[in-house]
Every structure is written in structure tokens, then in C-alpha cells.
Amino acid sequence: MIRRPPRSTPSNSSAASDVYKRQTVDSLTKALQKANAIILACDHTKLVKSLSAQKLQALDIKIVIDGKNALNGDEISKRGIIYHGIGRGNKTSSKVS
């Protein structure tokens, strides 16, 4: 996983750029430890298998946007996580008024 600097960073020598230097991690779990949301843009079997509803809940993920409709939205939403499958719509465990 690579974290890139925001496009609004003026130059490579700015203080903001120093904070957002490319960072790599060697596992999906490490990449998601401080995440609040996930955007899934691929459906690689290994990746999809590692993103179970139970694991997402354990990582305290609040929102999942599934661009490939690869995850089980019903199971994810049952755990209180907001799920949006592109083309499927939103799934939440409770009604929002």
C-alpha cells in the first residue's frame, strides 16, 4: 500500500510534503489500522478474502465503498458498518432519518 501526497502540495520541499512522503506497509491490516473507511476498486481474490465483515469490524472501519461489488454487503452492514456497493446502493443496519 502506498500513501501519496495530496495534489495541492506546492513542492517537494514544503513542510506538508514532508508529512505525506510515500509510506509503504507490508500488510493490508497495517494499512487499515488507522483508517475510518475503505474504497475497494479491485476484486483480487486474496484481497477480498482478507476483508471479511468480522475483520472490518475489528479494525473499526466505519464505511465501505465497494466499487467491484466483491464483498458481502449484508454481512458488513449487520455489523454496523455503512456499506455502499456501486450499482447496489447503500446498506446500513439502521434507518437514517
Side-chain angles (χ1 to χ4, degrees):
M1 303 290 170
I2 297 175
R3 183 177 177 182
R4 293 190 171 89
R7 293 194 188 276
S8 62
T9 303
S11 71
N12 288 337
S13 63
S14 73
S17 176
D18 292 341
V19 173
Y20 290 103
K21 293 282 185 196
R22 287 187 181 189
Q23 300 171 18
T24 60
V25 293
D26 56 2
S27 75
L28 180 62
T29 302
K30 285 183 183 177
L32 298 177
Q33 282 178 342
K34 294 183 181 180
N36 293 316
I38 277 184
I39 298 173
L40 184 65
C42 64
D43 59 356
H44 297 295
T45 304
K46 185 177 178 182
L47 179 65
V48 171
K49 284 183 180 179
S50 67
L51 290 173
S52 68
Q54 181 179 6
K55 184 170 188 171
L56 293 170
Q57 184 181 31
L59 289 167
D60 202 26
I61 301 296
K62 304 292 185 208
I63 301 169
V64 174
I65 299 173
D66 184 358
K68 290 296 201 171
N69 293 310
L71 302 175
N72 186 333
D74 292 329
E75 285 298 316
I76 292 170
S77 63
K78 284 179 187 175
R79 295 185 178 265
I81 300 168
I82 297 170
Y83 175 86
H84 182 80
I86 305 300
R88 287 194 211 172
N90 293 328
K91 293 182 184 237
T92 58
S93 59
S94 61
K95 293 182 180 180
V96 178
S97 53

